[in-house]
């Protein structure tokens, strides 16, 4: 198999060896997928499974694009019985082998949803949950897949690479398949950005995109550089970024990370190389990709971290001025204050409380940590520790996050603030905070008072370490 990082085009297909009922290493589902990349845009899937009860299914919206599901019987094949969006496949103690086709092009054009399938010209984005048929009750173990794409088509996936396997073979726990990260098929432009121990693979679909491959690389590279500086080294071993055209309007992004981090950026049609420097979406989504996710109740903390850290990371590499950063915070933060009936950040999931309420929490934590420790500790330390420790788990409980914050800073600042703001509305005097930081906004003009009590804290927040 030919591969550059996770962006793989297959050479001539090799014979598929017979699989044991339960392959070594805990792999209980093993998929071999062929993608011709021709006008049909079809996947041909040959899969082997350890003993597993049914029924078998995949993403409900994608079920109507599955064709010809069969299972091996002796030296022949038998058609699997279909019941709505699921199939009955006998899979006994010896395991079973299943084959089918998936109409990827049809699904991508008909569904047009990045969490299931979407087309951008003749490039198709679809997570593995869309096209990998699997038992609805996953056993403990891991699933593995490889996709053989006929040139000029390529394939890339955010799913983690299989340990010890050839490039282009991916593997993750079975219980992550239904929410596995993004994947992309077709003749996309591919580049890899290496920073420290990390690699960001970029796959961009040229159709309708007002950016050249070099423009895309510069755009994503700038976001990677900002986080490389903020974290003291890019913290993730691998991230996949898929760039598709997004039509009119601003750039939008989404991150999935259950089986390995991947991002889809839908670039606005007016985005040009000259304006990518002002784009914040790529940096925002990369922050999600390099940090562990949190439970639904703490989605405000995930989004708040990305909202707060993005301009700081960009300011430290000169992409945002301190005046712009503080002016935007003074304008935006009030949208995160509690209103009548608020029950705390964990229980009030409005847009304002989720994004700006989370950012307010991060600002207060950062300021209080710096004030208590004379700028020796900050939110930087908490997030660097989380990014480093997050390699062993992509999803954390809030308790683990709070424990990590205590270890990283030697204080209970983050926990105490969580108790005040997440479990109750809390109260914040923003006017006093801006005065203490020495931030003054008059219309569109931002000025600083370097004699303010927390002026050193304000300057430290945007200073590159």
């Amino acid at each position: 198999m030919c591969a550059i990082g996770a962006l793989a085009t297959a050479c001539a297909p090799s014979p598929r060896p017979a699989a044991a009922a339960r392959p070594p290493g805990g792999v209980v589902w093993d998929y071999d997928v062929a993608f011709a990349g021709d006008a049909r845009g079809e996947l041909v899937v040959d899969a082997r499974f350890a003993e597993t009860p049914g029924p078998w299914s995949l993403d409900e919206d994608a079920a109507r694009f599955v064709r010809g599901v069969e299972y091996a019987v002796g030296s022949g094949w038998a058609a699997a019985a279909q019941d709505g969006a699921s199939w009955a496949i006998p899979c006994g103690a010896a395991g079973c082998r299943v084959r089918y086709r998936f109409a990827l092009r049809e699904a991508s054009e008909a569904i047009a949803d990045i969490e299931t399938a979407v087309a951008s010209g003749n490039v198709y984005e679809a997570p593995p949950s869309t096209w990998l048929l699997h038992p609805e009750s996953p056993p403990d173990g891991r699933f593995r897949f490889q996709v053989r794409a006929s040139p000029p088509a390529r394939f890339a996936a955010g799913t983690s690479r299989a340990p010890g396997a050839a490039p282009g073979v991916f593997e993750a726990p079975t219980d992550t398949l239904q929410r596995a990260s993004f994947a992309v098929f077709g003749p996309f432009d591919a580049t890899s950005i290496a920073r420290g121990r990390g690699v960001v693979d970029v796959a961009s679909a040229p159709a309708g995109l007002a950016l050249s491959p070099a423009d895309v690389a510069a755009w994503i590279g700038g976001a990677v550089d900002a986080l490389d500086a903020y974290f003291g080294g890019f913290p993730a071993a691998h991230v996949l970024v898929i760039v598709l055209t997004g039509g009119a309007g601003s750039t939008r992004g989404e991150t999935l990370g259950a089986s390995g981090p991947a991002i889809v950026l839908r670039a606005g049609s007016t985005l040009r190389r000259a304006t990518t420097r002002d784009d914040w979406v790529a940096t925002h989504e990369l922050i999600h990709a390099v940090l562990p996710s949190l439970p639904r109740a703490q989605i405000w903390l995930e989004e708040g971290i990305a909202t707060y850290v993005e301009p700081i990371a960009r300011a430290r590499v000169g992409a945002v001025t301190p005046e712009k950063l503080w002016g935007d915070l003074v304008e935006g933060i009030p949208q995160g204050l509690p209103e009548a009936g608020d029950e705390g950040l964990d229980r009030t999931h409005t847009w304002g409380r989720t994004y700006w309420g989370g950012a307010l929490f991060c600002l207060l934590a950062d300021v209080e940590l710096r004030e208590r420790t004379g700028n020796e500790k900050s939110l930087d330390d908490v997030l660097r520790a989380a990014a480093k420790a997050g390699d062993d788990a992509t999803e954390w409980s809030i308790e683990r996050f709070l424990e990590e914050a205590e270890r990283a800073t030697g204080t209970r600042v983050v926990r105490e603030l969580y108790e005040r703001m997440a479990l109750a509305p809390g109260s914040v005097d923003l006017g006093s905070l801006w005065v203490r930081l020495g931030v003054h906004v008059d219309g569109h003009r931002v000025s600083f008072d370097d004699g303010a009590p927390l002026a050193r804290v304000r300057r430290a927040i945007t200073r590159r370490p």
Side-chain angles (χ1 to χ4, degrees), residues 175-380:
D175 63 2
T176 67
L177 176 54
Q178 291 186 333
R179 47 203 170 87
S181 57
F182 300 115
V184 61
F185 305 75
F188 52 80
D189 296 314
T191 190
S192 295
I193 301 168
R195 295 291 186 275
R197 69 184 184 91
V199 174
V200 177
D201 283 325
V202 183
S204 57
L209 200 63
L211 298 170
S212 70
D215 294 339
V216 172
W219 172 29
I220 307 305
V224 172
D225 287 340
L227 296 194
D228 185 59
Y230 180 87
F231 285 101
F234 191 75
H238 176 251
V239 179
L240 171 65
V241 177
I242 302 167
V243 180
L244 309 175
T245 182
S250 59
T251 299
R252 301 178 68 85
E254 185 168 342
T255 300
L256 292 177
S259 61
I263 297 166
V264 171
L265 296 174
R266 307 205 70 175
S269 59
T270 60
L271 188 67
R272 302 290 190 275
R273 183 184 181 103
T275 57
T276 55
R277 182 177 174 83
D278 298 325
D279 171 82
W280 56 268
V281 179
T283 309
H284 181 104
E285 296 301 332
L286 278 168
I287 293 167
H288 285 308
V290 303
L291 291 171
S293 62
L294 296 167
R296 177 64 186 169
Q298 286 82 43
I299 189 67
W300 60 268
L301 183 53
E302 280 194 47
E303 294 296 349
I305 289 169
T307 301
Y308 177 70
V309 170
E310 167 267 313
I312 291 173
R314 295 174 63 226
R316 292 183 186 177
V317 294
V320 172
T321 66
E323 289 80 4
K324 169 69 171 170
L325 182 151
W326 288 106
D328 287 350
L329 285 177
V330 170
E331 180 182 359
I333 285 286
Q335 299 175 76
L337 292 172
E339 297 181 347
D342 193 280
E343 299 180 41
L345 289 166
D346 272 6
R347 305 184 185 98
T348 306
H349 300 297
T350 62
W351 177 86
R353 288 292 269 164
T354 298
Y355 288 86
W356 285 111
L360 171 60
F361 177 93
C362 292
L363 170 63
L364 295 175
D366 204 6
V367 169
E368 189 167 345
L369 282 166
R370 291 176 183 276
E371 186 178 12
R372 283 200 198 179
T373 65
N375 271 331
E376 290 296 320
K377 296 294 181 180
S378 69
L379 189 65
D380 298 3

Side-chain angles (χ1 to χ4, degrees), residues 292-295 298 300-301 305 346 361-362 365 369 379 381-383 385-386 389 396-423:
S293 62
L294 296 167
Q298 286 82 43
W300 60 268
L301 183 53
I305 289 169
D346 272 6
F361 177 93
C362 292
L369 282 166
L379 189 65
D381 297 284
V382 176
L383 300 183
W396 281 13
S397 66
I398 184 61
E399 181 59 30
R400 180 168 180 187
F401 182 88
L402 297 174
E403 289 174 353
E404 201 66 48
E406 290 180 1
R407 280 192 290 269
T409 65
T411 76
R412 289 175 54 84
V413 165
V414 177
R415 182 181 295 277
E416 291 167 356
L417 191 62
Y418 176 81
E419 291 169 354
R420 294 201 306 268
M421 295 184 67
L423 307 180

Side-chain angles (χ1 to χ4, degrees), residues 41 80 97 210 432:
R97 182 179 176 188
S432 174

